[in-house]
Amino acid sequence: MNRRRIVFLFNLLQDVNVIRPVALLAREMNVDVLFLCSQKFAPRDKQKIWVPALQKLAAECGTSIAEYDSPFAAYRLLQDGYGAIVTASESNLPAHTETHDVFRAAPSGYTRVTLQHGYECIGFLQNREHDLAHGRNVRFAADILAAWAPADRLTSMAWSERDKVFTTGPGLLLQQPTGRARSAEGMVCENLHSVRLSASGDLRQGFMADFGHFCTHLAARNETVCLRPHPGGQFLMRNGIAPPTNARMDARPIYEVDLGAFAYGVSAPSSVLLDMVLAGLPTAVWADPEGVMDIGNYEGLTVIRRPRDWLAFHRDVRLRPAMILARQRQFTKQLAMPLGADHVRRRFVELLMLASHRFDTPAAPSRIGGSTC
């Protein structure tokens, strides 16, 4: 029997963070939910964090996880239904092959939806380092591109893809922080695996040197700091690099962390900066002192380039937080994104309803013969 359902594809570790709020929203709808997971997902989980997180999410959604090792294996799992297929890392880049090929092979009774998986997202809004590493000709097999901002703000999207855009706003707003009382501890996020810190020269040592200097300053004040690795990169953990003794490592999924409980946040360019800004944290973006790395998409946020800038930001968090937060409100205004939690929720509900109801006929043969992606 053909069933209407919403299928979620998982391939990269960070897919869990991006898909989770949308999957929990789908659970509330009168539709079957199915998880398909690339066979490469579990081997990537060296720290044994994300397989349990995915299993827990499947239990919360009342579904099971089916593993596939080829697009044809995924096709067999899909052919008895119709509706929507949703994923977070899909494009014609090699790193996204496991989802891109499933989209190309999917039965035509499914509408294929690719979620923007970060603020600076390949094929949506890139930076100079992305351009150097991946080019500016990224294509998608999706029928719908769920974007954080309108198409005219997606400066890296190919013109042939723009008619696919459905503006939702950031999915992270589907999960609101609990708003506990702030502690004195700040959070620093490492994004050292990213091409942002390597495409224009190796900037990783500079970040770690600055962070070490900052931790020495905090130790003199008997203060600690929370150090968070990127969920997919986990550069320090994978390379066995020990953080300073007063930096506690927290590798939990971001949705298990109450960002509103921290005093401030610092990160090299990464989507977590937007997470922290929207949680109301005084936030600073780290950049190299020579200005090699492109941080144009974060213009308006506090920038720290040298050890003295870290110390000045730490001082301003204590003495002038209102100044920092006012600057951040101006930054969010210029993004032209839907940022109201209720509005974003409505947009995602509309997206899932549109995608899963597009076809009400049995699934047709695969598209793979005629795809141009």
Side-chain angles (χ1 to χ4, degrees):
M1 180 177 66
N2 286 285
R3 299 173 294 172
R4 183 174 73 91
R5 61 191 177 191
I6 299 176
V7 181
F8 293 95
L9 293 185
F10 297 85
N11 177 39
L12 302 181
L13 301 181
Q14 53 265 42
D15 292 348
V16 179
N17 274 335
V18 181
I19 292 175
R20 182 178 186 273
V22 185
L24 291 174
L25 190 61
R27 177 194 61 180
E28 302 175 15
M29 302 168 60
N30 186 25
V31 61
D32 289 343
V33 173
L34 174 65
F35 284 5
L36 294 188
C37 185
S38 160
Q39 193 176 54
K40 294 186 177 181
F41 181 88
R44 291 185 173 114
D45 187 21
K46 306 297 185 185
Q47 308 302 324
K48 309 301 180 186
I49 295 171
W50 296 100
V51 169
L54 181 57
Q55 292 169 339
K56 181 179 179 181
L57 177 59
E60 290 179 275
C61 292
T63 190
S64 57
I65 304 170
E67 189 175 82
Y68 66 92
D69 60 4
S70 70
F72 301 102
Y75 175 82
R76 289 193 294 270
L77 293 166
L78 294 168
Q79 63 181 338
D80 64 343
Y82 65 97
I85 310 177
V86 182
T87 195
S89 52
E90 184 274 313
S91 76
N92 61 353
L93 297 184
H96 299 160
T97 296
E98 286 75 29
T99 48
H100 185 68
D101 286 350
V102 170
F103 268 24
R104 294 179 63 231
S108 60
Y110 288 93
T111 301
R112 304 161 296 181
V113 180
T114 295
L115 305 174
Q116 182 173 343
H117 63 260
Y119 172 51
E120 292 183 297
C121 184
I122 296 296
F124 287 78
L125 180 67
Q126 297 181 187
N127 51 68
R128 184 172 58 243
E129 285 74 32
H130 280 149
D131 293 347
L132 290 171
H134 307 298
R136 293 183 58 86
N137 193 33
V138 177
R139 295 291 189 271
F140 303 91
D143 302 299
I144 298 176
L145 300 173
W148 293 11
D152 63 349
R153 293 302 187 103
L154 305 175
T155 56
S156 303
M157 183 167 286
W159 284 104
S160 61
E161 303 289 339
R162 289 177 178 245
D163 286 344
K164 300 178 180 180
V165 170
F166 184 100
T167 306
T168 58
L172 60 95
L173 290 172
L174 298 174
Q175 300 176 146
Q176 292 299 292
T178 60
R180 282 201 317 255
R182 290 257 167 90
S183 71
E185 187 179 59
M187 179 172 68
V188 174
C189 300
E190 65 95 344
N191 193 27
L192 299 181
H193 77 294
S194 173
V195 296
R196 299 301 308 272
L197 284 87
S198 59
S200 299
D202 190 350
L203 308 179
R204 292 170 292 192
Q205 291 186 357
F207 177 86
M208 289 306 299
D210 285 1
F211 178 62
H213 186 277
F214 181 59
C215 286
T216 299
H217 168 77
L218 294 182
R221 300 168 58 92
N222 200 29
E223 293 183 22
T224 61
V225 65
C226 174
L227 177 62
R228 282 192 56 80
H230 185 279
Q234 299 176 338
F235 185 86
L236 298 182
M237 299 167 71
R238 290 183 176 183
N239 289 279
I241 301 173
T245 55
N246 61 329
R248 65 176 184 87
M249 188 80 79
D250 187 345
R252 290 178 298 161
I254 194 70
Y255 54 82
E256 294 183 1
V257 178
D258 183 4
L259 294 178
F262 289 94
Y264 58 89
V266 176
S267 178
S270 170
S271 289
V272 74
L273 287 163
L274 191 59
D275 293 0
M276 294 188 289
V277 166
L278 295 180
L281 296 190
T283 301
V285 54
W286 179 87
D288 62 293
E290 291 77 19
V292 172
M293 186 167 53
D294 176 16
I295 59 169
N297 290 326
Y298 299 91
E299 186 174 353
L301 295 184
T302 301
V303 179
I304 54 179
R305 295 184 181 275
R306 298 170 177 82
R308 64 175 180 266
D309 298 334
W310 291 69
L311 305 187
F313 174 68
H314 186 248
R315 178 202 63 215
D316 287 345
V317 167
R318 290 182 288 110
L319 301 180
R320 291 184 284 274
M323 175 190 70
I324 301 173
L325 295 175
R327 186 182 301 144
Q328 292 173 189
R329 284 192 292 271
Q330 288 301 117
F331 169 75
T332 57
K333 281 183 181 179
Q334 72 179 0
L335 297 178
M337 293 179 185
L339 294 177
D342 290 341
H343 185 192
V344 170
R345 180 183 173 85
R346 286 195 301 272
R347 295 299 289 167
F348 272 102
V349 169
E350 291 170 11
L351 170 68
L352 294 176
M353 293 291 288
L354 169 69
S356 63
H357 279 89
R358 182 178 176 185
F359 298 101
D360 57 3
T361 56
S366 164
R367 302 177 172 90
I368 198 165
S371 174
T372 59
C373 297

